[in-house]
Amino acid sequence: MLCSGVYQVGGDGLSRGEDCSVYLLSSHGESALVDMGAGASAPLILENVQSCGVSLDSFRYLIVTHGHIDHIGGLEYIKKSLPEARIVAQRLELPAITEGRPELTAASWYGVAYRGVNVDLILDGPENLTLGDLTLTCLPTPGHTPGSMVLYSDIDGQRVLFGQDIHGPFQNEWGSDIKAWKESMEKLLQLNADMLCEGHFGVFSPASRVKSYIESYLKRYS
């Protein structure tokens, strides 16, 4: 457990090496996953969820931060396993998530075959989701991809930021935009998050480490 009701259930030795970090949120009998891994680990990720004492029947959302294969490859399997959960993503990521356009998913990088999955809740900007007694704010952060987003929530007096792939990288074929990314990172700094759950490089806290992490990438790409 990273903090009350927040767990890591994929990536970092918890599942296969090609997976992004996969995070579980649970509050008052309702649960959500943040990203789904590259696909092969999907059954293991659900086993990890259950090992946290969270019922598969409790899932309300499957939140997709962007459409790269290491984040969406497990989406089809997990959606079939959790049929009541709603898939959530930004509209600008639909060409990757629902159409499965290979230049956008980067599936070939991992040797993965991806079939598009329909998104249930399409966001066109910032939006709040309710999960138990938590408010999850979905915030667009274009740059890495056009429809990248983060989410954050205030949990037990600390702001927890789920910032998958805020470090980049950037490729023209994905529609990456360094200028937009820098603006997105400045917005994240203004959140003053106490904990950052990142997509590949671990969990950072307290707030000073979160700030330093984001600033280090702004400096790298300045």
Side-chain angles (χ1 to χ4, degrees), residues 25-191:
L25 294 87
S26 184
S27 174
H28 288 250
E30 294 187 342
S31 305
L33 280 180
V34 181
D35 288 334
M36 314 298 138
S41 296
L44 176 58
I45 288 169
L46 294 182
E47 288 178 14
N48 291 341
V49 166
Q50 292 175 298
S51 72
C52 295
V54 173
S55 169
L56 298 185
D57 294 330
S58 70
F59 274 84
R60 188 169 181 184
Y61 301 115
L62 304 175
I63 301 170
V64 179
T65 64
H66 65 289
H68 284 162
I69 195 65
D70 51 328
H71 298 258
I72 64 171
L75 191 56
E76 181 179 25
Y77 180 94
I78 291 175
K79 172 63 175 178
K80 287 180 178 178
S81 301
L82 309 174
E84 299 303 315
R86 301 176 73 192
I87 298 173
V88 182
Q90 292 286 331
R91 186 178 300 276
L92 290 176
E93 291 301 288
L94 296 187
I97 300 167
T98 67
E99 298 175 29
R101 286 171 50 184
E103 77 278 13
L104 301 179
T105 64
S108 64
W109 290 25
Y110 294 81
V112 173
Y114 175 76
R115 295 190 302 181
V117 180
N118 289 331
V119 174
D120 303 301
L121 179 55
I122 301 169
L123 308 183
D124 287 302
E127 188 160 333
N128 290 336
L129 306 175
T130 300
L131 187 76
D133 66 351
L134 298 179
T135 298
L136 308 179
T137 299
C138 298
L139 179 67
T141 50
H144 178 52
T145 67
S148 289
M149 72 173 177
V150 304
L151 61 147
Y152 66 90
S153 185
D154 294 329
I155 302 172
D156 289 346
Q158 62 177 341
R159 178 157 291 179
V160 181
L161 171 63
F162 299 88
Q164 304 280 65
D165 289 18
I166 63 174
H167 62 277
F170 307 96
Q171 296 282 338
N172 288 336
E173 64 188 290
W174 305 336
S176 297
D177 185 330
I178 289 284
K179 181 179 178 181
W181 172 82
K182 290 179 180 178
E183 293 172 355
S184 295
M185 295 306 100
E186 294 293 346
K187 291 180 181 178
L188 294 191
L189 288 172
Q190 294 173 16
L191 293 177

